Amino acid sequence: MNLQSIVITNCIGIFLSLIVMYSSHMVRKGRDLDSRLLTALLISSCSCCLMEMISFLVDGHATTFCIVVSWISNTWIYIANPVVSTLWLLYTDYHLHRKAKRLTTTYRLHLILLAASIIVIIGNLFGQYLFTIDAQNVYARRPASYSIYFVTAFMLGSSIVEVIRYRRCHRNAIFFPIWAFLAPVFIGMVIQSLIYGISLGWCCTAIGLAALYMSMQNELAYRDSLTGLYNRQYLSYVLNSWNGHSGIMIDMDYFKEINDKFGHSVGDQALRDTAGILLEICPENSIVIRFAGDEFILLLTARQEILIQKVEEKLKNAVEDFNRTSDRPYKISLSMGHALFDQKDEDSFLDAIDTAMYKDKQARHASGELRERRRDR
């Protein structure tokens, strides 16, 4: 692969990364962790295409400046391999589960391995056991460098395992085309690890991210843009083949009062806070949906009454913790009701959980727990 081809290949990778960054900024909320991780992946891909191009341009030029640039660019690229693969693993898990706290607990060993890899790579500046740069500024890879590729492959492999495990429990979660990203990445990584002088790895990463982003546009039709939860359209889809057994209807009390008193932007934040609470307490294999306005549905695999009640109790405790520790100008209050998914059709199931929720609301009104009765819809 000649120098001109290397420059063109990496410029294509930079261009693709910038285009996807711009497009994702236009259509996604930049504030959520999902978008931040995707942005970090794109920035890393773009910077590595640039650094790899620079490393080839200065290779063999024996000036002090070029030697320093060569060390910096190659070290940057080595660090980026485990960093980007770990970012991908975290992005995959968060996109599936929407639980930020889960990342540091589930992948603690992966993060330790990442930190150890970075220390080893930085140590190469003194020991030159991964790669060397001689007095003529010629780069040479050493056998130990394959350990970094193994770490990278391990992180990517872990993301595959998580997607397979998740899909076994959520047969309807079809909106994450993992191979759209991984296929070009693996091809580029294998070729570049076997043949020095080939510059395909980071360009293929950019291609994979672009392919993933385009493939996932279908998901936007099934996601609520405000909360990131699945929407009512997805509910209709999933109930056609739902393998769960029960559902909880959840309604926010005093939501209109929050909007009237603090404004709609604060009301939107209250909805996002409620969605975050639901995502944090929902059991494995459950699905959280924003049903309509200030109403949510939690689909569960539990059939036993006691297990469903435990989920409701956990939700009540989580709301109390939020109200006690949050500095929001409002307090969250929820009414909820559940039913088993043994009705004949979707409408019957939704009517059952809606009726149960209103019974809970009426009981709380009767007891004085709620100040005023919500208007009939």
Side-chain angles (χ1 to χ4, degrees):
M1 199 170 191
N2 59 41
L3 189 58
Q4 183 179 8
S5 299
I6 290 170
V7 171
I8 292 173
T9 300
N10 284 287
C11 283
I12 291 173
I14 292 171
F15 178 76
L16 279 175
S17 298
L18 292 175
I19 289 295
V20 176
M21 263 191 284
Y22 176 77
S23 299
S24 63
H25 173 73
M26 294 295 291
V27 301
R28 298 173 67 87
K29 307 184 301 300
R31 293 170 294 181
D32 69 335
L33 183 58
D34 199 25
S35 293
R36 293 200 299 270
L37 287 170
L38 178 59
T39 300
L41 282 165
L42 290 165
I43 291 174
S44 300
S45 172
C46 186
S47 67
C48 287
C49 286
L50 178 62
M51 286 294 182
E52 186 151 41
M53 183 170 58
I54 290 173
S55 70
F56 278 98
L57 288 172
V58 300
D59 193 60
H61 296 277
T63 66
T64 301
F65 174 77
C66 288
I67 291 174
V68 171
V69 170
S70 185
W71 275 107
I72 292 173
S73 59
N74 282 288
T75 301
W76 181 285
I77 292 168
Y78 268 79
I79 290 175
N81 276 280
V83 168
V84 169
S85 58
T86 304
L87 284 173
W88 166 255
L89 174 60
L90 299 180
Y91 173 76
T92 299
D93 191 276
Y94 182 76
H95 192 85
L96 295 174
H97 296 279
R98 299 278 167 175
K99 294 183 178 182
K101 291 182 180 179
R102 171 186 161 86
L103 302 182
T104 54
T105 54
T106 304
Y107 300 109
R108 186 173 300 163
L109 292 178
H110 293 75
L111 295 173
I112 291 173
L113 181 59
L114 170 63
S117 299
I118 293 174
I119 292 172
V120 168
I121 294 167
I122 293 175
N124 182 74
L125 294 171
F126 309 97
Q128 299 191 34
Y129 39 78
L130 297 176
F131 65 89
T132 61
I133 297 175
D134 62 20
Q136 284 71 46
N137 196 25
V138 174
Y139 166 91
R141 192 166 56 201
R142 304 195 67 176
S145 65
Y146 288 100
S147 62
I148 303 303
Y149 288 105
F150 290 144
V151 172
T152 302
F154 172 70
M155 299 296 186
L156 296 177
S158 296
S159 70
I160 297 173
V161 171
E162 180 54 33
V163 169
I164 292 173
R165 190 196 69 80
Y166 185 86
R167 284 184 172 173
R168 285 177 178 172
C169 300
H170 301 77
R171 296 177 184 175
N172 300 286
I174 61 174
F175 307 112
F176 197 66
I178 187 171
W179 291 109
F181 171 75
L182 288 183
V185 169
F186 272 124
I187 291 171
M189 187 175 71
V190 169
I191 294 175
Q192 188 155 327
S193 65
L194 295 176
I195 307 172
Y196 173 69
I198 295 292
S199 181
L200 291 176
W202 293 108
C203 180
C204 286
T205 300
I207 292 172
L209 288 170
L212 174 75
Y213 179 74
M214 289 186 291
S215 299
M216 287 177 59
Q217 294 313 294
N218 291 332
E219 184 181 21
L220 295 178
Y222 292 95
R223 286 281 186 187
D224 172 56
S225 60
L226 178 65
T227 63
L229 301 178
Y230 287 116
N231 59 21
R232 187 166 184 170
Q233 186 173 349
Y234 182 76
L235 175 67
S236 298
Y237 166 76
V238 77
L239 287 181
N240 289 328
S241 56
W242 171 239
N243 60 339
H245 299 294
S246 58
I248 303 174
M249 175 75 81
I250 299 142
D251 180 79
M252 293 180 66
D253 305 313
Y254 313 124
F255 180 67
K256 184 178 184 301
E257 182 180 304
I258 294 174
N259 273 332
D260 293 343
K261 186 175 181 180
F262 302 109
H264 288 282
S265 61
V266 176
D268 288 346
Q269 184 59 56
L271 289 169
R272 287 193 291 266
D273 287 336
T274 302
I277 293 171
L278 290 171
L279 287 170
E280 288 299 324
I281 67 94
C282 69
E284 290 289 328
N285 311 330
S286 58
I287 298 176
V288 186
I289 291 169
R290 184 183 177 192
F291 182 61
D294 57 349
E295 293 180 333
F296 302 83
I297 290 177
L298 182 55
L299 296 178
L300 304 171
T301 56
R303 173 170 285 276
Q304 295 85 354
E305 183 78 15
I306 188 171
L307 296 179
I308 304 172
Q309 290 175 351
K310 283 183 178 180
V311 174
E312 292 180 328
E313 188 64 29
K314 188 176 180 180
L315 176 55
K316 292 176 183 177
N317 292 335
V319 169
E320 291 177 2
D321 290 341
F322 175 87
N323 290 334
R324 185 176 61 254
T325 59
S326 171
D327 59 356
R328 305 293 194 208
Y330 51 80
K331 302 294 184 183
I332 291 178
S333 175
L334 303 177
S335 297
M336 63 190 78
H338 67 265
L340 296 178
F341 187 54
D342 53 6
Q343 287 75 20
K344 294 181 180 179
D345 53 39
E346 172 188 343
D347 290 338
S348 299
F349 172 66
L350 295 178
D351 286 343
I353 58 176
D354 190 61
T355 300
M357 182 272 292
Y358 270 100
K359 286 182 179 179
D360 176 63
K361 189 179 287 287
Q362 290 167 357
R364 294 170 68 214
H365 278 301
S367 67
E369 183 179 345
L370 294 181
R371 295 192 306 273
E372 59 185 18
R373 185 177 300 277
R374 180 181 172 179
R375 292 181 185 176
D376 292 333
R377 293 170 297 176

